[in-house]
Amino acid sequence: MVFDILTIFPDFFGSPLQEGIIRRALEDGKIQVGIHNIRDYALARHRMTDDRPIGGGEGMVMKPEPLAECLRAVIEGEQNRRVILLSPKGNRFTQQSAQRLATVPRLVFICGRYEGVDERFRDKYVDEELSIGDYVLTGGELAALVVMDAISRLLPGVLGCEDSAVNDSFSCGMLKHAQYTRPRIFEGTPVPEVLLSGDHAAIARYRFIETVKVTLERRPEMLLDVRFTPAELKLLKKEGLFGRIETVVKEYKAEPIHAG
Ligand code: ADE
């Protein structure tokens, strides 16, 4: 997978790419990252990459020409790529988006700044606009790192153990169960007994129930889209959780639309 990042702050990406799993993925050639300074493509005397909004108003808008020049130089006729603008106005980036984008050979991230990018650049060159959440960052750089990280760990061979991504929170549509490690007793609290039993089927059942419980407590709406197997449904009934899930489904699906 090749990532290209178009930014006016290339130094921003120094240390985040030099740590942990991402560093190893780069060293192993599982990912390649090109950092491109938009300012290098600004021809104006002062190498300006932004200007005042036409029509007046606050802040500065990123100029279209340096962005377009930089992008053209980076993609050079490459067909199998997607150009992504990071902005608070974009569609919400989710685990599903990460899975979808992990299949694209080359992703080009445009890091917006100021009040946004000129709309004509967006219309002509951007394939999709993504936001990492309902808050406004000082620019798209942090968002690009978040998106790149979430995608990279899904690529074959990037995580040590292939199935660690399969069992992630969100991959199964629910939040992940709690985890424990040594010591067996921490400040008087032991790890749950079943985890020490060596009974793999019992551990799997326990973890499934914990997964459902934590999702019910923290993100119940996620359960609306989960399809349980008959064996899981039986277990949920036995543990008294089926009724709680039914209540959630009724509450969310029957939510009235309030006027004004
Ligand atoms: N740029 C500024 N805020 C952002 C956000 N929430 N997501 C993506 N890019 C952004």
Side-chain angles (χ1 to χ4, degrees), residues 86-89 112 130-141 143:
L86 285 315
S87 115
K89 289 199 298 189
L130 287 179
S131 162
I132 60 164
D134 287 347
Y135 38 78
V136 183
L137 302 166
T138 53
E141 280 77 7

Side-chain angles (χ1 to χ4, degrees), residues 31-63:
I31 60 171
Q32 289 172 41
V33 181
I35 309 288
H36 311 278
N37 190 348
I38 299 164
R39 211 174 289 284
D40 292 343
Y41 297 85
L43 298 177
R45 200 153 46 97
H46 300 294
R47 297 218 298 162
M48 267 170 59
T49 53
D50 62 317
D51 209 340
R52 285 193 294 273
I54 294 182
E58 313 253 288
M60 300 289 266
V61 178
M62 289 184 79
K63 290 166 73 59

Side-chain angles (χ1 to χ4, degrees), residues 14-258:
S15 76
L17 300 178
Q18 282 168 29
E19 304 291 343
I21 288 171
I22 296 298
R23 180 200 181 121
R24 203 182 56 210
L26 278 164
E27 285 170 357
D28 295 348
K30 307 277 188 225
I31 60 171
Q32 289 172 41
V33 181
I35 309 288
H36 311 278
N37 190 348
I38 299 164
R39 211 174 289 284
D40 292 343
Y41 297 85
L43 298 177
R45 200 153 46 97
H46 300 294
R47 297 218 298 162
M48 267 170 59
T49 53
D50 62 317
D51 209 340
R52 285 193 294 273
I54 294 182
E58 313 253 288
M60 300 289 266
V61 178
M62 289 184 79
K63 290 166 73 59
E65 313 95 304
L67 282 168
E69 286 294 327
C70 183
L71 182 63
R72 269 197 290 272
V74 168
I75 56 183
E76 271 181 12
E78 165 85 72
Q79 298 299 316
N80 288 327
R81 43 88 182 148
R82 236 174 138 64
V83 177
I84 296 172
L85 173 65
L86 285 315
S87 115
K89 289 199 298 189
N91 290 326
R92 178 76 64 85
F93 177 70
T94 62
Q95 189 67 21
Q96 279 70 40
S97 336
Q99 279 155 356
R100 171 175 58 82
L101 293 171
T103 64
V104 181
R106 187 163 185 174
L107 294 173
V108 184
F109 295 124
I110 315 282
C111 303
R113 283 257 144 194
Y114 315 113
E115 290 301 304
V117 307
D118 188 290
E119 193 69 6
R120 293 163 297 176
F121 170 80
R122 182 191 173 281
D123 287 347
K124 186 148 186 213
Y125 292 102
V126 172
D127 295 314
E128 69 181 275
E129 193 168 342
L130 287 179
S131 162
I132 60 164
D134 287 347
Y135 38 78
V136 183
L137 302 166
T138 53
E141 280 77 7
L142 270 173
L145 279 170
V146 167
V147 172
M148 196 165 66
D149 188 284
I151 293 171
S152 296
R153 62 188 291 289
L154 298 177
L155 300 173
V158 167
L159 293 183
C161 170
E162 283 278 348
D163 61 2
S164 17
V166 174
N167 293 323
D168 281 340
S169 281
F170 302 108
S171 285
C172 69
M174 292 186 278
L175 303 179
K176 195 171 176 171
H177 57 79
Q179 294 279 31
Y180 302 87
T181 184
R182 287 186 289 186
R184 284 170 74 145
I185 299 175
F186 168 67
E187 296 185 356
T189 307
V191 305
E193 195 61 37
V194 61
L195 298 178
L196 302 164
S197 67
D199 180 343
H200 297 298
I203 292 173
R205 280 195 300 274
Y206 168 80
R207 285 184 165 161
F208 168 72
I209 290 300
E210 289 303 303
T211 295
V212 175
K213 277 186 185 163
V214 72
T215 310
L216 263 170
E217 275 159 27
R218 299 184 192 179
R219 297 285 306 277
E221 82 286 358
M222 289 177 78
L223 292 163
L224 298 179
D225 297 319
V226 179
R227 295 284 159 268
F228 294 108
T229 65
E232 287 170 342
L233 286 173
K234 206 170 147 195
L235 190 55
L236 288 170
K237 283 180 187 155
K238 189 169 153 237
E239 296 290 328
L241 290 174
F242 187 74
R244 283 177 64 191
I245 297 174
E246 272 189 328
T247 310
V248 166
V249 171
K250 271 191 214 126
E251 269 172 16
Y252 278 87
K253 293 233 156 123
E255 198 172 306
I257 297 166
H258 300 283

